[in-house]
Amino acid sequence: MRVFVFFDLPIETAAQRRDYRLFRKYLVKEGYLMLQESVYAKLVINDAQANAAIGRLRQHRPPAGLVQALKVTEKQFATMEFIAGSRHEHEELDTMEEFVVL
C-alpha cells in the first residue's frame, strides 16, 4: 500500500518558506519519496500503518496551505499510466521486494 501526499503551501513570506522547508524535510525524514514537485509517496505494509502515517502528517501539518493524503493499494499503483516521461527516468528503490547484499 502507498500513501500519497499532495500539498500546496504558500511561500510568500519568510515564515511561510520556513514552514514549507520544515514540512518537506519532515516528509523526507519519514521516508516519503518525491514523485513530482509537491507530490510525495511512502510505501507502507498495511492499512494500519497508512492510517498511522496520516495521523503523523496531521500532527506535522503546516499552519497554512492545503495538504491532502490518499491511500492507494499496490495493485492500483501498478495501473498508473505515464502520459509524458517514463518511470525509468525517476526510478528509485521503492518496492516491497527484499534484497540481500553480499
Side-chain angles (χ1 to χ4, degrees), residues 22-71:
L22 291 175
F23 184 68
R24 188 188 167 288
K25 283 182 182 181
Y26 167 75
L27 291 175
V28 172
K29 181 179 152 202
E30 281 288 306
Y32 288 86
L33 298 174
M34 185 172 71
L35 297 179
Q36 292 184 11
E37 190 173 331
S38 299
V39 179
Y40 285 72
K42 178 180 182 172
L43 193 62
V44 294
I45 295 174
N46 55 30
D47 193 50
Q49 279 194 354
N51 291 334
I54 292 171
R56 287 190 304 274
L57 278 171
R58 288 181 199 278
Q59 293 173 352
H60 291 89
R61 70 178 182 258
L66 176 66
V67 178
Q68 298 170 298
L70 173 67
K71 295 186 290 186

Side-chain angles (χ1 to χ4, degrees), residues 1 4 70-81:
M1 176 166 270
F4 282 85
L70 173 67
K71 295 186 290 186
V72 176
T73 65
E74 282 301 301
K75 188 174 181 178
Q76 292 168 329
F77 181 78
T79 64
M80 181 173 20
E81 294 186 29

